[in-house]
Amino acid sequence: MRALIRLQAPRHADAAGGLHRISRHGLALIIAAFPLAAAAQDWRPERPIRLIVPTAAAGGGDAIARLTGQALAQRLGQPVVVENHPGANGNIAASVVTRAPADGHTLMLVATAHLAITPAIYSKLTFDPINDFQPIGTICDMSLVMVASQRVAANDVPELVAQVRAKPSSIFFASSGNGSFSHLLSETLNSRIGGGLTHVPYKGEALALQDLLGNQTAAIYFGTPAPIIPLVQSGRLKALAVSSAKRLEQLPGVPTLGEQGLSGFNESFWYGIIARAGTPAHITATLSKQIAAISTSQEIGKVTGKMGCAPLTLDSGQFAARIKDDLTRFAGIASAIGLKLD
């Protein structure tokens, strides 16, 4: 977009003086106009964009990244290349982003675990979750479902709390690993009900669910909706609550924790896009607008909906605030239970 600027000399100015004034004042107007013109335009990438994923291929996060990349490529007119860099608690993927130019051509898919939990429980990280990255926007927000094995007598949270208080340490909760979202979420619940639950960590969600289904050690578990919903619908597990403030569309009869006496309980697992810190504001604004549109689009909603992940459209500033709030909260939980992993 070109700005048309007309300059006119004062009527009574001599030729030399008028030209001097035109040059001086005109130059100031032109200099002032260029930033406004640039700000009015959407940024367009000059080459393919790299979308870094801190997990292995074929997982839920990878599926979200690939769909987001396809949609972003169509909107920006450049290919988006998804690169999986799993391992080291996100350090490997983060180092790729922090070493890249801050020009919007290298992005990263992140989740609650990467920027709000890992930094809260690990002291040896190669990145600063607040100062090394520029949040772009969020894609979706996943509620977790609190389920119980069939050997648990309780059918809702008040009954479970009563059972725990009557016989402390009799109920074991599973997690997908020390420091996982399911672990810290269960510890949050444990704190809210005054304690009495005992933690049993597993190496992943599949093993935790296997234990519950076999009526073995663990009795309750906060898990992701995709594998849990069919187990609840078939009657193999009992759904006691949903972790977020709203009920799941796929399990409309399962109340939230807030509805069952734990007011203000609202925990969910988000996915979002970040860039390197120092990315110019006009690039961040363009990418944020596009990610917001993608998060509510049908093409990605078909996949995220099956995962129990609802659209979440936080812009750059809102996303930054969410990261800080979650990091502070999970750091407090980790400190309270003495959790530190290195």
Side-chain angles (χ1 to χ4, degrees):
M1 183 177 67
R2 295 181 179 178
L4 180 61
I5 302 175
R6 292 186 178 182
L7 301 175
Q8 183 176 356
R11 290 183 178 180
H12 301 293
D14 57 67
L19 180 60
H20 174 74
R21 282 189 289 272
I22 291 171
S23 300
R24 184 182 63 193
H25 296 297
L27 181 61
L29 287 170
I30 292 171
I31 291 173
F34 275 130
L36 294 175
Q41 291 181 316
D42 282 345
W43 170 74
R44 293 296 175 186
E46 300 173 353
R47 58 184 184 277
I49 291 175
R50 304 166 69 194
L51 180 53
I52 310 302
V53 182
T55 58
D62 180 71
I64 291 175
R66 293 182 185 279
L67 282 172
T68 302
Q70 291 172 9
L72 197 59
Q74 293 174 355
R75 292 172 177 274
L76 295 181
Q78 284 283 1
V80 175
V81 181
V82 175
E83 297 180 13
N84 297 90
H85 294 269
N89 305 307
N91 279 333
I92 296 174
S95 65
V96 174
V97 178
T98 55
R99 291 198 304 264
D103 59 4
H105 289 86
T106 302
L107 306 176
M108 180 175 170
L109 178 85
V110 290
T112 306
H114 306 123
L115 293 190
I117 295 180
T118 293
I121 61 177
Y122 287 91
S123 56
K124 296 178 181 179
L125 294 176
T126 61
F127 63 91
D128 183 316
I130 304 300
N131 297 316
D132 286 347
F133 303 113
Q134 170 60 58
I136 300 298
T138 50
I139 300 170
C140 65
D141 205 28
M142 183 186 297
S143 303
L144 267 65
V145 183
M146 181 184 177
V147 290
S149 67
Q150 290 295 346
R151 68 184 177 89
V152 175
N155 291 303
D156 56 32
V157 173
E159 289 181 0
L160 178 69
V161 173
Q163 185 175 341
V164 172
R165 289 175 177 170
K167 195 174 180 180
S169 302
S170 64
I171 299 293
F172 292 81
F173 70 84
S175 79
S176 55
N178 279 315
S180 63
F181 186 69
S182 61
H183 178 199
L184 295 184
L185 186 55
S186 298
E187 294 290 1
T188 303
L189 172 66
N190 202 19
S191 176
R192 288 289 302 271
I193 67 174
L197 296 172
T198 304
H199 178 217
V200 182
Y202 292 84
K203 293 182 178 180
E205 182 165 73
L207 292 177
L209 288 174
Q210 182 179 328
D211 193 347
L212 259 70
L213 290 169
N215 292 314
Q216 297 177 25
T217 306
I220 61 172
Y221 173 64
F222 276 104
T224 56
I228 281 179
I229 288 173
L231 296 175
V232 171
Q233 292 174 337
S234 66
R236 299 182 68 189
L237 292 177
K238 296 190 289 187
L240 304 186
V242 174
S243 68
S244 61
K246 294 182 179 180
R247 296 190 182 195
L248 274 178
E249 181 180 345
Q250 298 92 329
L251 296 173
V254 180
T256 67
L257 286 163
E259 290 177 304
Q260 299 185 74
L262 297 175
S263 61
F265 202 110
N266 181 17
E267 296 288 351
S268 54
F269 190 87
W270 45 256
Y271 286 95
I273 300 292
I274 61 171
R276 181 181 168 181
T279 300
H282 71 286
I283 296 178
T284 297
T286 296
L287 290 171
S288 182
K289 181 174 70 174
Q290 298 298 345
I291 293 300
I294 291 169
S295 72
T296 56
S297 64
Q298 290 185 351
E299 60 264 34
I300 199 167
K302 291 178 181 178
V303 173
T304 57
K306 292 179 181 179
M307 296 170 59
C309 209
L312 180 66
T313 55
L314 301 182
D315 62 23
S316 179
Q318 293 167 331
F319 188 18
R322 175 70 179 266
I323 293 170
K324 289 180 180 179
D325 288 346
D326 284 356
L327 177 57
T328 299
R329 187 171 66 261
F330 288 124
I333 296 169
S335 177
I337 62 175
L339 178 64
K340 203 68 180 176
L341 304 176
D342 289 305

